[in-house]
Amino acid sequence: MAEARAAWFHGQDDPRLSAPAMLSWLRRRPAEAAPPAQPPGNRIHALLDAVGLPWRTPRGRLAERFGTVPHPAYTQTVIAVPTVPPLVPGLLWPLGAAVWHDAPPDLPAISFSSVAWLSADAGANIRACVAALAGPLGTVQIVESSGVRRAQWRDGAAALTLTTWPEARDPNPANQREPRLAQACHIAIETGFRQGLSARERDWLAHAVPLAENPSRPPPTLEALQRRPAAEAMLEFARSPDTAMALLLGRISRAPATEALIFCHGQFCMVPAERLEGFSVERLLPAKGSGGATLLARLSPARPGWLPPVLTLASDPSPDGLTALGERLAAEFARPCEISPYANDV
């Protein structure tokens, strides 16, 4: 169970994730300049900077600088990044970013994790970590439920979470490899990184052509987007909230000359038209679930052999509520649109 909870535990047992293979694809394209820094004033970012964690550095450069290694306890390959001073006392290994096949080498890793162990008392371990972080981050409460203890700091889209779990009754392979994991304080960091708008994208927004109101309601606010981290799979397309987006938050739009698809569903996204392969509408009839429709954009993979991204553009409570919109977008971008057969929402 602890292995499944660990931040390292994505894509395990994938032979493509060996260290030589990972360095090969990470170096496949020359590393680009580091993306723009996030807005100043974030306490978690300031702490990461203070301990020397290069969280803004593209993943490919991190791999070249620090290498990729098998995690000492979990079945995952990681980029282990030493920090000075250590984030908290008692770290068993450096903060690490999980290596996975489809991670863009020219964008930063957005999650880091480690564990801290000072004694065989799990409660004492998490209290020591909370005390060490209270200075830069402020005081927080340790919340306990069903034996799980957790403390969390949030600032904007960034979060730092400490967790201890009760010892599992069943044998745990990770704990057998590293027995101290059973009482250790597990540390998970989400940086909340998103790319800033480029000059070209600002021009797109300034001259954007709205195509339709997004039926997913209510539209998010810029303030809400500031607090909402992007999933790793969306990182290529999600942009850091900016006042230039304000008039388009509730709309699906295109850039002039149909150069890009612009929309906001969970994240504000800019999708270059050359990556857009088509649209699809998934239709569900009420059954155990309430039914509805989902409009998806299907994209070409960033590199050969990678999984093709699928982004959700909109949702609607009616199974037929997005068919016309999907067909309209398909005509606008000269792409196909697949309308799924009805299926029961089970």
Side-chain angles (χ1 to χ4, degrees):
M1 183 178 293
E3 282 196 299
R5 293 166 175 147
W8 319 100
F9 201 65
H10 303 292
Q12 69 163 6
D13 300 328
D14 188 338
R16 299 172 299 183
L17 300 185
S18 65
M22 290 311 304
L23 283 174
S24 172
W25 70 255
L26 282 167
R27 291 169 174 164
R28 194 171 296 160
R29 189 171 90 183
E32 300 174 359
Q38 300 297 281
N42 186 296
R43 292 173 299 162
I44 294 174
H45 293 169
L47 172 63
L48 301 183
D49 290 339
V51 299
L53 182 71
W55 60 276
R56 301 176 186 84
T57 299
R59 186 184 283 267
R61 291 186 181 180
L62 281 184
E64 290 179 345
R65 179 178 174 187
F66 298 104
T68 62
V69 295
H71 191 277
Y74 300 111
T75 53
Q76 175 61 287
T77 302
V78 297
I79 304 169
V81 184
T83 54
V84 180
L87 183 71
V88 295
L91 286 182
L92 295 185
W93 41 74
L95 293 171
V99 170
W100 54 287
H101 178 64
D102 295 338
D106 48 351
L107 291 176
I110 58 173
S111 300
F112 295 86
S113 60
S114 187
V115 297
W117 189 96
L118 293 165
S119 74
D121 183 339
N125 289 328
I126 191 170
R127 289 192 297 271
C129 290
V130 167
L133 296 172
L137 299 182
T139 58
V140 294
Q141 296 295 315
I142 300 173
V143 178
E144 183 169 356
S145 177
S146 301
V148 178
R149 300 180 181 92
R150 181 169 285 113
Q152 185 179 76
W153 292 265
R154 283 198 167 274
D155 196 334
L160 193 158
T161 306
L162 307 176
T163 309
T164 63
W165 287 279
E167 293 189 43
R169 296 179 181 178
D170 298 327
N172 184 289
N175 289 6
Q176 291 174 358
R177 288 187 287 269
E178 174 47 80
R180 291 174 292 181
L181 284 178
Q183 303 89 28
C185 177
H186 296 248
I187 303 160
I189 297 168
E190 298 173 84
T191 70
F193 175 88
R194 285 164 289 186
Q195 297 183 83
L197 293 168
S198 67
R200 183 187 187 200
E201 289 169 342
R202 287 189 180 278
D203 186 65
W204 284 349
L205 292 180
H207 301 94
V209 179
L211 301 175
E213 295 294 315
N214 194 321
S216 305
R217 294 294 179 184
T221 64
L222 288 174
E223 291 75 17
L225 289 176
Q226 288 282 8
R227 300 187 295 271
R228 187 179 299 163
E232 194 109 36
M234 297 182 70
L235 207 57
E236 281 188 88
F237 311 104
R239 295 295 179 264
S240 185
D242 190 289
T243 54
M245 306 168 178
L247 295 179
L248 300 177
L249 290 178
R251 297 172 174 174
I252 297 175
S253 309
R254 66 168 174 82
T258 322
E259 291 181 89
L261 172 67
I262 304 169
F263 68 96
C264 186
H265 190 277
Q267 295 290 325
F268 193 94
C269 292
M270 314 279 285
V271 181
E274 60 266 22
R275 295 288 301 279
L276 187 59
E277 292 199 334
F279 301 90
S280 63
V281 178
E282 297 183 349
R283 302 184 297 175
L284 294 176
L285 299 172
K288 291 182 179 179
S290 58
T294 304
L295 174 60
L296 305 172
R298 300 190 178 276
L299 312 183
S300 60
R303 288 155 181 78
W306 289 21
L307 292 174
V310 178
L311 301 179
T312 299
L313 302 184
S315 56
D316 192 275
S318 168
D320 296 311
L322 296 174
T323 301
L325 178 56
E327 291 173 339
R328 180 180 177 188
L329 292 177
E332 192 77 33
F333 285 89
R335 301 292 195 276
C337 180
E338 179 183 351
I339 309 299
S340 78
Y342 293 112
N344 290 326
D345 187 359
V346 296

